[in-house]
């Protein structure tokens, strides 16, 4: 049984509001963390130390801390299990994971379970400080929001970092179309120090080489991008006059006011890329590309630099991820699309969708973009994207014929565009788009079948409850809400037999049960199952079962 728990006794300032405990099986690590920062300066009270997961959970139960710094591997419960169990005690506890292993799988799982961040041993004072500041700020903001939302909004609007990020976001949303007078006005309103000339756009694009992380790992990518932005921004401070940064999906977009008209030097660019790439190694199978826009002498030409950087970002799908990329001259999309027989592709799509051929749908993308000679036929990355959009729009066109949902095509377009714009390899692009549309076809066909089966279920229930009456196809079709001709065809398709056969089957099976289990006369049974003429009933029974009702009772009764 684990019993070693240390409850810290420290002098806490009266304004300390956050409790922190430490869990690690190495005593020296616990002591290091206790002494690495002036905790009271950040409004934090050290409330205890545990040297294994079991005692840590008990300490959390007793102390109810706001923050837990825990090793990911220790006796009793490991860090991930500790997080999971602690969330049932208090879901608002913030966990900071530390480990001596470069184990991205553990980090990914910890982040998914709600860890705020992940640190490698030996613990860096600066990194821990940044994380603590972020965690305390997050908790403070949450508390203030619940108490004084309007006041918080005013305070946030005064935050230099948030204002700059919002400003960068607005500029990028407008594709960096901005004039010198706009900049002059902005500098009067915002904390900016742009010089009059020399600007450049650079984009850091993050790509996962593992498809399962490419689209749906929001919490993990947010943490990664925060770390990458911190690293890049600290390097840029001494290289440029001023910069703004915003994020867009899996990219960090920087607006640089560079020192001279040549922009960043190649050595500086290499250093930025290498430092960002090195940071990425902590998170596993991810790559980061640095996509360069050309330097421009005037802010009014910033759009040109942005267009070049965006092209270079898209170009990684042909030239590979994890590189420094610049705009290059390529053939036009129209010229390259002429190599492809798109009418034939559209015909194959129609056949695949109508036939529900999932494998064929998946292969349509790969047959287009993964052929061995694709690199000789396509030099422009936008040709690949247009091919994907053509196939996607053709599939959507066919699928919407099967769907009655107004939002169906809109949702598919959004999912498709996100995959196209955020996927960095042809293999992942083909795999993800094929998966989206094969799933869409499967879901649609199941939904369509369920909708078609509902009236058949209603019809069967009606027959089961009224078979002793003089019912016919018209009455049952009316109950199901269809005209008799269409209903007859649909009933046979779903039930496997026509309406008359199903009604006869129900009546004969009921008669057989009554003959075996009851003492009613043949005439009474005949009337019970819907036949007023007992002789006609006997003939129908004998024709269906092979023997007359009396004989059936003697044999089975």
């Amino acid at each position: 049984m684990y019993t070693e728990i240390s409850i810290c006794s420290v002098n806490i300032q009266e304004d300390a509001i956050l409790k922190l405990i430490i869990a690690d099986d190495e005593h020296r690590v616990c002591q290091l963390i206790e002494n690495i920062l002036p905790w009271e300066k950040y409004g934090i009270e050290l409330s205890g130390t545990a040297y294994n997961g079991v005692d840590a959970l008990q300490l959390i139960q007793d102390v109810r801390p706001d923050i837990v710094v825990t090793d990911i591997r220790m006796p009793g419960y490991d860090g991930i299990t500790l997080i999971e169990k602690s969330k049932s005690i208090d879901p608002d506890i913030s966990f900071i994971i530390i480990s001596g292993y470069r184990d991205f799988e553990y980090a990914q799982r910890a982040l998914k379970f709600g860890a705020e961040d992940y640190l490698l041993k030996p613990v860096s004072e600066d990194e821990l400080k940044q994380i603590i500041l972020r965690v305390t700020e997050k908790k403070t903001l949450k508390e203030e929001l619940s108490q004084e939302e309007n006041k918080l909004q005013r305070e946030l609007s005064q935050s230099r970092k948030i204002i700059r990020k919002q400003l960068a976001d607005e500029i990028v949303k407008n594709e960096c179309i901005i004039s010198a007078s706009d900049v002059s006005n902005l500098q009067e309103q915002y904390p900016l120090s742009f010089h009059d000339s020399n600007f450049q756009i650079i984009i850091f694009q993050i790509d996962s080489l593992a498809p399962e992380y490419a689209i749906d790992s929001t919490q993990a990518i947010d943490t990664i991008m925060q770390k990458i932005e911190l690293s890049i921004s600290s390097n840029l401070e001494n290289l440029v006059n001023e910069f703004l940064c915003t994020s867009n999906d899996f990219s960090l977009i920087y607006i640089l006011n560079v020192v001279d008209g040549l922009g960043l030097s190649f050595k500086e660019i290499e250093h930025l890329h290498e430092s960002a790439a090195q940071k990425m190694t902590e998170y596993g199978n991810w790559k980061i590309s640095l996509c360069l826009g050309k330097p421009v002498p005037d802010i009014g030409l910033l759009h040109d630099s942005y267009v070049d950087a965006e092209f270079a970002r898209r170009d990684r799908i042909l030239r590979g991820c994890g590189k420094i990329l610049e705009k290059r001259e390529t053939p036009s999309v129209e010229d390259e699309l002429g190599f492809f027989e798109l009418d034939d592709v559209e015909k194959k799509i129609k056949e695949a969708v109508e036939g529900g051929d999932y494998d064929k749908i998946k292969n349509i993308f790969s047959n287009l973009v993964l052929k061995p000679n694709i690199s000789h036929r396509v030099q422009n990355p936008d040709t690949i994207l247009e091919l994907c959009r053509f196939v996607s729009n053709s599939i959507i066109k066919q699928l919407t014929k099967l769907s009655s949902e107004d939002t169906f095509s809109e949702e598919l377009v959004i999912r498709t565009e996100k995959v196209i714009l955020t996927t960095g390899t042809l293999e992942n692009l083909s795999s993800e788009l094929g998966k989206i549309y094969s799933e869409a076809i499967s879901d649609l066909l199941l939904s369509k079948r369920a909708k078609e089966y509902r009236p058949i279920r209603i019809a069967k229930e009606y027959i089961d409850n009224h078979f002793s009456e003089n019912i016919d196809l018209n009455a049952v079709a009316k109950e199901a809400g269809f005209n008799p001709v269409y209903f007859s065809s649909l009933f046979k398709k779903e039930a496997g037999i026509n309406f008359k056969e199903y009604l006869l089957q129900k009546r004969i099976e009921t008669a057989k049960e009554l003959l075996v289990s009851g003492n009613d006369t043949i005439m009474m049974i005949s009337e019970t199952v819907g036949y007023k003429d007992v002789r006609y009933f006997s003939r129908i029974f004998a024709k269906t079962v092979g023997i007359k009702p009396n004989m059936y009772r003697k044999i089975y009764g």
Side-chain angles (χ1 to χ4, degrees):
M1 182 67 184
Y2 305 101
T3 57
E4 193 172 7
I5 302 178
S6 170
I7 302 297
C8 297
S9 177
V10 294
N11 294 322
I12 306 300
Q13 294 181 353
E14 290 183 0
D15 59 348
I17 57 171
L18 299 178
K19 296 179 180 179
L20 180 145
I21 69 170
I22 303 166
D24 196 299
D25 58 342
E26 297 183 67
H27 287 235
R28 61 181 181 80
V29 173
C30 293
Q31 292 173 354
L32 171 66
I33 295 172
E34 288 174 5
N35 297 307
I36 198 170
L37 291 176
W39 295 104
E40 66 278 5
K41 178 180 176 181
Y42 304 108
I44 294 175
E45 171 186 343
L46 293 181
S47 301
T49 302
Y51 303 105
N52 60 74
V54 174
D55 290 341
L57 184 63
Q58 183 61 52
L59 192 58
I60 289 169
Q61 178 72 50
D62 295 340
V63 174
R64 300 299 176 98
D66 300 286
I67 304 170
V68 176
V69 180
T70 178
D71 193 1
I72 203 165
R73 297 187 180 183
M74 56 184 171
Y77 301 132
D78 62 19
I80 293 172
T81 304
L82 182 63
I83 293 174
E84 187 177 10
K85 289 182 176 294
S86 299
K87 289 296 182 180
S88 63
I89 298 173
D90 183 355
D92 292 327
I93 298 174
S94 296
F95 282 86
I96 300 168
I97 294 291
I98 56 175
S99 176
Y101 302 86
R102 288 183 178 270
D103 193 335
F104 180 69
E105 181 180 356
Y106 267 93
Q108 177 80 2
R109 288 177 60 198
L111 292 171
K112 283 185 176 180
F113 274 103
E116 291 289 336
D117 217 320
Y118 178 78
L119 284 173
L120 293 175
K121 296 178 182 179
V123 175
S124 161
E125 178 181 347
D126 287 341
E127 281 199 292
L128 182 58
K129 175 183 174 181
Q130 291 297 327
I131 294 170
I132 290 296
L133 286 173
R134 190 166 67 247
V135 171
T136 54
E137 181 182 8
K138 181 178 177 181
K139 287 185 172 295
T140 300
L141 289 176
K142 185 175 181 179
E143 179 65 17
E144 290 177 351
L145 181 62
S146 64
Q147 297 178 2
E148 301 179 82
E149 184 172 356
N150 292 334
K151 181 180 177 181
L152 176 61
Q153 291 301 324
R154 290 194 298 271
E155 291 174 350
L156 287 175
S157 68
Q158 296 168 5
S159 167
R160 184 173 184 270
K161 181 178 179 180
I162 292 176
I163 290 175
R164 290 167 64 88
K165 208 167 191 68
Q166 289 174 341
L167 177 59
D169 189 45
E170 289 301 315
I171 294 173
V172 170
K173 280 183 179 178
N174 200 38
E175 296 187 346
C176 296
I177 299 174
I178 187 171
S179 66
S181 60
D182 291 332
V183 173
S184 178
N185 291 334
L186 290 172
Q187 293 201 125
E188 291 179 3
Q189 301 176 49
Y190 299 103
L192 296 173
S193 55
F194 277 132
H195 293 199
D196 292 336
S197 59
N198 303 324
F199 295 87
Q200 185 176 16
I201 299 292
I202 64 174
I203 301 174
F204 287 85
Q205 177 69 36
I206 298 171
D207 288 298
S208 171
L209 301 185
E212 63 270 23
Y213 298 138
I215 303 299
D216 297 321
S217 35
T218 304
Q219 189 170 7
I221 198 67
D222 284 349
T223 299
I224 293 172
M225 290 182 70
Q226 287 173 5
K227 291 221 173 189
I228 297 301
E229 181 181 350
L230 181 65
S231 173
I232 296 168
S233 297
S234 64
N235 286 321
L236 278 173
E237 286 177 355
N238 298 321
L239 299 178
V240 298
N241 296 322
E242 177 67 287
F243 67 88
L244 294 173
C245 176
T246 187
S247 58
N248 184 7
D249 288 322
F250 287 63
S251 59
L252 291 168
I253 304 170
Y254 281 86
I255 302 168
L256 307 182
N257 182 205
V258 292
V259 175
D260 59 50
L262 299 177
L264 296 174
S265 70
F266 186 73
K267 184 177 180 181
E268 291 168 340
I269 290 168
E270 274 194 320
H271 175 70
L272 284 173
H273 184 245
E274 286 173 2
S275 62
Q278 179 62 34
K279 198 68 179 173
M280 292 297 297
T281 61
E282 297 180 15
Y283 295 94
N285 205 16
W286 298 78
K287 294 287 185 180
I288 188 163
S289 305
L290 175 49
C291 311
L292 304 175
K294 65 184 177 184
V296 293
D298 184 79
I299 190 71
L301 299 174
L302 187 64
H303 173 70
D304 296 340
S305 184
Y306 175 75
V307 169
D308 285 357
E310 273 294 317
F311 183 92
R313 186 183 70 82
R314 297 192 299 275
D315 204 13
R316 75 195 192 284
I317 202 165
L318 289 177
R319 297 169 67 187
C321 302
K323 300 178 180 179
I324 298 172
L325 302 171
E326 295 182 88
K327 173 75 163 61
R328 60 192 176 99
E329 294 300 319
T330 61
S332 70
V333 172
E334 290 76 12
D335 288 343
E336 291 189 334
L337 284 178
F339 293 125
F340 299 90
E341 298 176 355
L342 297 183
D343 290 341
D344 185 53
V345 172
E346 191 166 27
K347 181 180 177 182
K348 290 178 180 178
I349 289 171
K350 184 175 184 294
E351 293 172 352
V353 173
E354 289 178 348
D357 191 336
Y358 310 141
D359 291 335
K360 193 171 184 180
I361 288 293
K362 288 181 179 179
N363 291 335
I364 284 173
F365 290 104
S366 59
N367 289 340
L368 274 177
V369 302
L370 295 182
K371 290 180 178 179
N373 62 343
I374 190 71
S375 60
H376 302 296
R377 301 170 67 186
V378 175
Q379 296 297 317
N380 191 329
D382 291 337
T383 302
I384 296 293
L385 304 184
E386 282 305 309
L387 282 172
C388 291
R389 290 191 177 102
F390 171 81
V391 173
S392 298
N393 290 336
S394 297
I395 292 175
I396 288 172
K397 179 181 176 181
Q398 297 302 321
L399 290 179
T400 49
K401 293 178 181 179
L402 303 176
S403 173
S404 60
E405 300 292 335
D406 294 337
T407 60
F408 177 77
S409 61
E410 181 182 346
E411 291 171 356
L412 281 179
V413 168
I414 291 172
R415 290 184 67 193
T416 297
E417 281 297 308
K418 184 170 184 179
V419 170
I420 289 173
L421 295 175
T422 60
T423 305
T425 68
L426 289 174
E427 290 77 9
N428 283 0
L429 181 65
S430 174
S431 171
E432 289 299 316
L433 289 179
K435 186 188 303 181
I436 284 176
Y437 286 100
S438 62
E439 289 175 356
I441 292 173
S442 176
D443 292 345
L444 256 184
L445 292 179
L446 287 173
S447 175
K448 186 171 183 287
R449 179 159 185 168
K451 290 176 180 178
E452 289 181 344
Y453 182 75
R454 184 174 180 273
I456 304 306
R457 177 174 53 79
I458 293 172
K460 286 182 176 180
E461 289 177 355
Y462 183 81
I463 293 170
D464 292 347
N465 293 328
H466 298 84
F467 68 88
S468 62
E469 303 170 14
N470 185 24
I471 60 174
D472 58 16
L473 178 65
N474 291 335
V476 179
K478 182 179 180 181
E479 185 70 22
F482 289 102
N483 70 64
V485 176
Y486 178 73
F487 172 74
S488 177
S489 172
L490 183 61
F491 190 95
K492 185 170 184 178
K493 176 184 175 182
E494 294 297 329
I497 55 177
N498 63 35
F499 165 75
K500 286 186 177 180
E501 290 171 332
Y502 183 85
L503 178 59
L504 174 63
Q505 185 182 84
K506 179 63 181 177
R507 284 172 167 172
I508 295 301
E509 289 300 318
T510 304
K512 286 161 67 175
E513 293 175 7
L514 294 173
L515 287 168
V516 172
S517 61
N519 297 317
D520 292 346
T521 64
I522 302 301
M523 180 177 289
M524 292 171 66
I525 293 173
S526 173
E527 291 179 351
T528 300
V529 298
Y531 296 103
K532 304 303 181 184
D533 187 339
V534 68
R535 287 178 296 179
Y536 178 71
F537 165 68
S538 295
R539 287 199 304 271
I540 290 293
F541 188 93
K543 182 178 179 181
T544 305
V545 181
I547 55 177
K548 292 184 177 182
N550 284 329
M551 184 59 68
Y552 187 89
R553 171 171 275 174
K554 288 180 180 179
I555 295 173
Y556 297 103

